[in-house]
Amino acid sequence: MGLKDKYDFSILVNETEEVVMEELEKQLNKEEYQTVCRCEECIMDMMALALNQLQPSYRSSFTGVIYAQKLHDGAFKEKVSAIVKKAVEKISQNPAHVG
């Protein structure tokens, strides 16, 4: 019996992923990005590119939620904002899909 069969891995959450997802949605709502492709492949590429440049921060309990609040401070959010902006620009200029 494997670990996935014995344990509930759905409670293992990367808080950095949540912060990046919120920032990506915020940036895609900006007027300057209204023409950016929003297909699943482009969105996933934007998320992956941004996340690969940031340190993950996993939690698996409510206590972890409290600890993860540091990810919502100004300095980290500014860093995420800049990285997400670059990811949106790079993927929108060079989408992996054709058409």
Side-chain angles (χ1 to χ4, degrees), residues 45-62:
D45 284 349
M46 290 174 205
M47 286 288 297
L49 183 58
L51 285 167
N52 281 330
Q53 297 177 64
L54 294 163
Q55 183 174 351
S57 181
Y58 284 93
R59 65 168 170 83
S60 62
S61 67
F62 182 71

Side-chain angles (χ1 to χ4, degrees), residues 23-36:
E23 182 61 29
L24 179 58
E25 187 171 3
K26 179 180 164 185
Q27 292 211 19
L28 289 175
N29 284 324
K30 292 180 177 180
E31 189 172 324
E32 65 191 280
Y33 294 133
Q34 291 306 303
T35 60
V36 169

Side-chain angles (χ1 to χ4, degrees), residues 7-97:
Y7 301 100
D8 179 11
F9 283 94
S10 69
I11 62 172
L12 185 63
V13 177
N14 180 357
E15 285 290 331
T16 302
E17 184 178 331
E18 299 294 322
V19 173
V20 168
M21 194 176 309
E22 288 173 15
E23 182 61 29
L24 179 58
E25 187 171 3
K26 179 180 164 185
Q27 292 211 19
L28 289 175
N29 284 324
K30 292 180 177 180
E31 189 172 324
E32 65 191 280
Y33 294 133
Q34 291 306 303
T35 60
V36 169
C37 181
R38 287 165 170 73
C39 75
E40 185 171 354
E41 190 170 356
C42 284
I43 295 298
M44 294 302 160
D45 284 349
M46 290 174 205
M47 286 288 297
L49 183 58
L51 285 167
N52 281 330
Q53 297 177 64
L54 294 163
Q55 183 174 351
S57 181
Y58 284 93
R59 65 168 170 83
S60 62
S61 67
F62 182 71
T63 306
V65 172
I66 295 167
Y67 174 74
Q69 290 303 312
K70 70 179 177 126
L71 295 178
H72 300 276
D73 72 7
F76 184 74
K77 282 204 147 185
E78 285 179 29
K79 181 177 181 179
V80 168
S81 180
I83 288 172
V84 168
K85 180 179 176 68
K86 287 180 185 175
V88 170
E89 291 172 355
K90 183 168 187 167
I91 299 303
S92 66
Q93 292 170 2
N94 302 296
H97 62 80

